[in-house]
Amino acid sequence: MSSSEQTFIAIKPDGVQRGLIGPIISRFESKGFKMAAIKLSQLPLPSSGRDAVKTGRTLLGATNPRDSAPGTIRGDFAIDVGRNVCHGSDTVENAQKEIALWFKKDELNSWKLAQNDWIYEKP
């Protein structure tokens, strides 16, 4: 059974300028992730869920949009590496460092999604 973890997702300026904040957040929420914190000032959004780092990277697609599958955020919204609309942590350790870099502990919220039991099987 996979453990619950947090990841760090940043919508880059090109994603913001193109009006993709809502669709990107929606993809993570549709996958069952919950928002622990969010800032709007050219900053990221940490998301949490089971295998959040690996799953988050899958949702984002390959760093190079040309290698990203259709249906991924980068596969659907990006063309060039320099404008690949999002950053996502590549390891749990880096996610913890990136979250701590952008958010104070009191800015992170701990709460349970109402639909949590409909998304995750009990261990």
Side-chain angles (χ1 to χ4, degrees):
M1 184 63 59
S2 304
S3 64
S4 182
E5 61 191 30
Q6 289 186 319
T7 191
F8 177 84
I9 304 297
I11 302 174
K12 295 180 178 180
D14 54 306
V16 174
Q17 289 292 327
R18 293 180 54 204
L20 299 174
I21 295 172
I24 291 169
I25 291 172
S26 179
R27 290 202 185 189
F28 282 93
E29 289 178 331
S30 294
K31 190 68 176 178
F33 284 29
K34 67 178 184 177
M35 303 291 292
I38 186 170
K39 286 186 177 181
L40 182 61
S41 57
Q42 298 179 0
L43 300 179
L45 58 115
S47 303
S48 61
R50 284 207 183 127
D51 293 322
V53 172
K54 180 180 175 184
T55 305
R57 300 283 296 178
T58 300
L59 287 169
L60 291 174
T63 300
N64 187 335
R66 293 180 191 166
D67 299 330
S68 294
T72 63
I73 291 168
R74 290 176 178 145
D76 289 352
F77 300 131
I79 296 172
D80 293 325
V81 174
R83 297 281 189 262
N84 63 3
V85 302
C86 283
H87 162 78
S89 301
D90 58 350
T91 65
V92 173
E93 295 77 23
N94 283 340
Q96 292 169 345
K97 289 176 189 175
E98 292 171 333
I99 291 167
L101 178 67
W102 293 103
F103 295 93
K104 298 174 188 169
K105 284 195 182 261
D106 65 347
E107 293 178 316
L108 299 173
N109 298 299
S110 178
W111 56 283
K112 182 178 177 181
L113 288 169
Q115 70 263 33
N116 193 67
D117 294 337
W118 295 101
I119 296 170
Y120 299 111
E121 295 177 345
K122 296 192 191 258

